[in-house]
Amino acid sequence: MTCKYGKHCCLYPGSFDPVTLGHLDIIRRAAGIFDTVVVGVLHNPDKQGCFSVEQRMDMLKRACEDIPNVEIIAWPGLLARLTQKTGIRVVVRGVRNGADLDSETTMAHINGQLDPGLETLFLPAAPGLADVSASMVRQLAQFGADISNYVPSQVLPDVLAAFDKP
Ligand code: PNS
């Protein structure tokens, strides 16, 4: 099957609730490797959402506005169904530490079983961004701490407004 995004494309899936500087670093690096990076806003059943899917996509679009080869999409179902439907053959995931590597390896195996031939590539988090997570950002914002070192400047007002700390 031909991929609707071209041969040299990848999917970078996540909850992006909200997009962080760690996510943005992975998107930029993937965009330097692949012709097209499809950033997929997917549902993680283990996490309670804070922002709506539309808000997450809007924040991602603004954060990625200077990266021309990025497409932002939303998908409500299984990752493997998305890759089968689009023909995308490579998934990129960022890995921050050993715990991430363990859980991401399991996810890669399951996705590969559901969609045979699907490859998952891990990119190590950049030094300095390895401790950044969306859940940590949400928690800091909730208690009024400075989150400007952790989220793209374009989305900072959205996060502060969500926690009523403009
Ligand atoms: O940013 P996250 O929360 O680490 O991303 C996890 C995500 C959304 C990529 C994962 O939960 C996912 O793939 N959700 C879609 C449902 C699915 O395919 N689950 C099986 C994965 S083994």
Side-chain angles (χ1 to χ4, degrees), residues 48-62:
Q48 210 198 336
C50 170
F51 294 93
S52 70
V53 170
E54 290 71 27
Q55 286 174 316
R56 296 177 205 192
M57 289 182 73
D58 182 58
M59 287 189 278
L60 273 163
K61 277 179 190 153
R62 281 182 279 126

Side-chain angles (χ1 to χ4, degrees), residues 50-134:
C50 170
F51 294 93
S52 70
V53 170
E54 290 71 27
Q55 286 174 316
R56 296 177 205 192
M57 289 182 73
D58 182 58
M59 287 189 278
L60 273 163
K61 277 179 190 153
R62 281 182 279 126
C64 297
E65 64 198 351
D66 66 330
I67 317 173
N69 54 334
V70 168
E71 301 236 9
I72 318 286
I73 64 167
W75 178 255
L78 276 178
L79 183 155
R81 297 282 172 269
L82 172 62
T83 51
Q84 283 171 327
K85 183 169 177 268
T86 55
I88 294 175
R89 296 289 73 208
V90 178
V91 171
V92 165
R93 290 284 287 172
V95 171
R96 292 166 299 188
N97 49 39
D100 269 4
L101 186 59
D102 282 355
S103 59
E104 293 298 332
T105 301
T106 302
M107 205 160 89
H109 288 162
I110 291 173
N111 286 328
Q113 281 159 19
L114 294 171
D115 182 3
L118 182 68
E119 292 286 2
T120 300
L121 297 184
F122 298 149
L123 288 181
L129 292 174
D131 296 315
V132 180
S133 70

Side-chain angles (χ1 to χ4, degrees), residues 20-44:
T20 66
L21 286 178
H23 295 132
L24 192 56
D25 178 61
I26 299 289
I27 295 170
R28 278 191 203 289
R29 287 159 61 196
I33 299 169
F34 293 91
D35 290 343
T36 306
V37 178
V38 180
V39 177
V41 178
L42 273 67
H43 177 62
N44 185 340

